[in-house]
Amino acid sequence: MAVRLAPDDDDLSGLTGLVIPGGPGASYRLDKRLGVGGMSVAYFALLRTPHGECPTVIKIMPPWFVRQSGEAARTSVLKESVALGRLNEQVPSTPFVVRLIDSGTLAVDHGGVQLQLPWLAVE
């Protein structure tokens, strides 16, 4: 089911408190919007799994960017997740490289238009 966003909610401020399903047995609660960049909105989120909870950051592409870029928006997130995944495999854990945790899309109804907003979960 799609999350309803106000037609003027291009900075995704209405998502605070939302729970996004993740990989098997995982979910992310969006607790606080951290900031807005050129291609995404960053949220502090709490990852919940059967093994416990962990703080994380979710980067979500805003509706205006997805509308403007179309399939290129999804391709951009896919490339970033592949690059981060490769770093996860090659670089030992370090505070200088964020690690990819998960990725997906969030179905939204933005002013009557159905969109799939790509997102990434990182450390």
Side-chain angles (χ1 to χ4, degrees), residues 4-51:
R4 288 189 180 263
L5 293 176
D8 62 344
D9 190 4
D10 274 327
D11 66 354
L12 301 177
S13 58
L15 295 183
T16 302
L18 180 71
V19 175
I20 297 175
S27 65
Y28 301 89
R29 187 184 70 221
L30 305 180
D31 286 340
K32 180 181 176 184
R33 194 165 57 106
L34 298 173
V36 178
M39 287 180 38
S40 63
V41 177
Y43 266 92
F44 174 81
L46 186 63
L47 166 61
R48 293 180 172 165
T49 70
H51 306 290

Side-chain angles (χ1 to χ4, degrees), residues 51-75:
H51 306 290
E53 298 179 341
C54 176
T56 187
V57 172
I58 302 282
K59 293 171 45 180
I60 307 172
M61 285 200 168
W64 69 267
F65 189 84
V66 173
R67 282 184 175 183
Q68 178 180 332
S69 303
E71 192 59 31
R74 188 179 302 220
T75 301

